[in-house]
Amino acid sequence: MFGVPLLLWRIVTPPSIGDMLSENGPVVALRRLRPEDLPFVVDQHLQHFPDGFFARLGRAFLTEYYLSYCTDHSSCAVVATDGAEPIGALAGTSDLVGHRRHVISAHGRALTKRAVLALIRNPPLAVSFARTRGMRYLKKLVFRRGRAPAASGPARRSAVLHHVVVVAEYRGRGVGAALIEAFEDDARHAGCHELTLVTQTGGPAADYYRRSGWTAVGEHRTPDGTPLSTFTKAVTSREAGPQDRRFVAE
């Protein structure tokens, strides 16, 4: 993960945007996700992805889910602030197999409990879960729990971006780009060759990633039938210069 606790990024944006801007643009602080950030991150997840299965399992499940990023120090979980309040967040990992193993071993029991309670309270969701996801989740949580992952060998390593959100009033100011750049830095330091993400086909996020240099490499549907596109982006090798970022202690 990051070798320092806080990153300050100066994002160049037009000076007409508002009072948040200094002469050269807003200063956005990036730091590792903390437990006290979970209410903000969960609120943003519920606002941005209300139809996702995890969101339908409720706030308690999502809180435990994001807590797993706090406790897995090999994950990339970052919060952007305006110097005081959170304004965006990103969650991903440069070791997908290791992260899943950590989630199951350290949080699997709590996640299962919260999911079961949510399904009991929402019978239609329970029926949908049993029909579309039940066996797949059972295999992951039970049959593969004690099984060592297959060796990945020298193949190209991918860092997987799971979620990135920016509060509405800060969109278009480069906050999301700063979060993703931090994720790419983490992937580069971990020895990954590419970034991977999945987003809804044809949505505004898909258009954003295309404009940002990502390439659509495939499509599939969720068990509920939602069309999704997979995007990849090569991790470029570079050395950070003094103008790229400044590191300070919290």
Side-chain angles (χ1 to χ4, degrees):
M1 192 48 205
F2 302 113
V4 292
L6 185 67
L7 302 86
L8 292 182
W9 296 72
R10 186 167 294 281
I11 303 168
V12 179
T13 50
S16 60
I17 286 182
D19 294 336
M20 275 298 301
L21 302 180
S22 67
E23 278 185 25
N24 299 314
V27 174
V28 176
L30 303 184
R31 57 171 172 76
R32 184 171 174 83
L33 180 71
R34 305 168 179 163
E36 56 264 34
D37 297 316
L38 296 179
F40 165 78
V41 176
V42 170
D43 284 344
Q44 291 300 309
H45 187 114
L46 290 171
Q47 178 180 334
H48 286 79
F49 315 113
D51 299 324
F53 182 69
F54 282 8
R56 286 184 286 165
L57 288 176
R59 184 175 296 276
F61 180 89
L62 279 175
T63 300
E64 187 71 28
Y65 168 72
Y66 279 107
L67 180 62
S68 70
Y69 287 94
C70 296
T71 58
D72 179 10
H73 294 285
S74 67
S75 69
C76 180
V78 189
V79 170
T81 78
D82 61 4
E85 299 297 326
I87 59 174
L90 178 147
T93 180
S94 57
D95 180 5
L96 184 60
V97 172
H99 178 68
R100 285 175 173 171
R101 185 168 50 202
H102 168 79
V103 171
I104 291 173
S105 63
H107 299 270
R109 186 170 299 178
L111 285 168
T112 301
K113 177 181 177 180
R114 285 157 176 72
V116 168
L117 288 174
L119 294 174
I120 290 173
R121 293 169 183 152
N122 189 339
L125 182 61
V127 172
S128 174
F129 171 78
R131 179 173 55 84
T132 62
R133 293 175 170 86
M135 185 55 66
R136 179 161 58 91
Y137 275 60
L138 183 63
K139 288 179 179 179
K140 286 183 179 180
L141 291 173
V142 178
F143 299 127
R144 298 179 186 175
R145 184 165 188 169
R147 188 178 302 174
S152 59
R156 291 177 63 83
R157 287 187 57 190
S158 293
V160 182
L161 195 165
H162 291 142
H163 309 287
V164 59
V165 294
V166 177
V167 298
E169 55 266 38
Y170 284 90
R171 292 177 196 162
R173 303 191 185 190
V175 178
L179 287 164
I180 294 171
E181 191 172 346
F183 175 65
E184 183 174 357
D185 281 347
D186 181 74
R188 183 183 300 110
H189 297 151
C192 295
H193 301 90
E194 66 181 7
L195 312 178
T196 302
L197 63 86
V198 176
T199 191
Q200 188 166 343
T201 301
D207 292 338
Y208 170 81
Y209 290 119
R210 283 193 181 91
R211 294 194 306 269
S212 302
W214 294 69
T215 302
V217 296
E219 294 186 6
H220 66 281
R221 291 182 178 271
T222 67
D224 300 316
T226 302
L228 300 176
S229 294
T230 300
F231 284 80
T232 65
K233 181 177 182 290
V235 174
T236 57
S237 59
R238 71 169 190 180
E239 293 184 3
Q243 294 182 350
D244 291 331
R245 68 175 85 171
R246 290 180 294 148
F247 299 100
V248 299
E250 288 183 293

